[in-house]
Amino acid sequence: MTVTDCIKDILTEQITAYSMLQSLLQREKICLINVNHSEIEVCSKEKDTILIRLRLLEDERKRLLKKYSVQKGISGEVNLNMLYQDTGDDSFESMRLQIISLLQNITELNEFNRILIDRSVNLFKNTLGFLDSAGFDTNNIQKVRIISREV
């Protein structure tokens, strides 16, 4: 198997992982809107797993691109656009564009989810502030919940 074939395999795996991350962020968005705490936690754990996989794939992609540049005697860092131009293989350009599109969508979803989380945190802080100003001891809320569960 040639280095370019290995790079294509890694890119295909990256596209799959980015697609999974995009779907997961869409699911997380719905969970944030519906305030589904347990599912948000599940999404967070799945996100961590996907991100670890993506880091490993990115490291392998960089290693293979470096190996390609050494084999071809190219000085400097090789990117996917240069690889496409050097090989003339249209699949590299197609994969590059797919990755760019996925990353743009992931960035938008991530920003939207961040805004939802920030608003939820602010709502929670405001609610606690209101309860404190109304004379409720918010430090004892946890104790009341524990007692009510035991009864």
Side-chain angles (χ1 to χ4, degrees):
M1 185 177 260
T2 65
V3 175
T4 54
D5 289 337
C6 292
I7 293 170
K8 285 181 190 178
D9 289 346
I10 291 296
L11 291 172
T12 301
E13 288 186 47
Q14 280 186 305
I15 289 168
T16 300
Y18 282 129
S19 295
M20 289 170 54
L21 181 60
Q22 180 183 8
S23 296
L24 182 63
L25 288 172
Q26 289 170 337
R27 196 171 95 214
E28 181 184 56
K29 175 182 164 183
I30 292 167
C31 293
L32 287 168
I33 290 170
N34 294 331
V35 194
N36 186 341
H37 303 290
S38 60
E39 190 62 26
I40 291 170
E41 188 176 337
V42 169
C43 287
S44 180
K45 290 176 183 176
E46 288 179 29
K47 219 178 353 177
D48 288 342
T49 303
I50 292 172
L51 290 175
I52 289 169
R53 178 170 170 71
L54 281 166
R55 280 189 204 112
L56 293 172
L57 289 169
E58 182 65 15
D59 289 345
E60 182 63 10
R61 184 185 67 84
K62 287 179 181 178
R63 185 190 71 76
L64 288 169
L65 286 174
K66 187 172 184 169
K67 183 177 180 179
Y68 178 84
S69 69
V70 169
Q71 283 181 353
K72 295 293 184 171
I74 301 170
S75 62
E77 196 171 305
V78 175
N79 60 33
L80 294 179
N81 197 34
M82 291 172 61
L83 189 63
Y84 161 66
Q85 291 172 355
D86 190 51
T87 62
D89 188 341
D90 290 336
S91 62
F92 285 116
E93 180 66 4
S94 173
M95 289 182 193
R96 183 183 76 82
L97 293 174
Q98 271 185 289
I99 290 173
I100 289 170
S101 176
L102 284 166
L103 288 174
Q104 288 172 342
N105 288 333
I106 288 168
T107 300
E108 289 172 12
L109 279 167
N110 204 37
E111 180 62 19
F112 186 82
N113 289 354
R114 186 194 61 77
I115 290 169
L116 286 174
I117 291 168
D118 287 347
R119 287 185 178 176
S120 296
V121 168
N122 285 335
L123 179 65
F124 183 73
K125 286 180 183 177
N126 290 338
T127 302
L128 283 177
F130 172 75
L131 291 173
D132 282 340
S133 69
F136 288 97
D137 186 6
T138 55
N139 293 325
N140 288 330
I141 290 175
Q142 184 68 23
K143 292 176 188 173
V144 170
R145 189 174 359 161
I146 291 171
I147 292 171
S148 66
R149 284 185 185 166
E150 290 175 359
V151 173

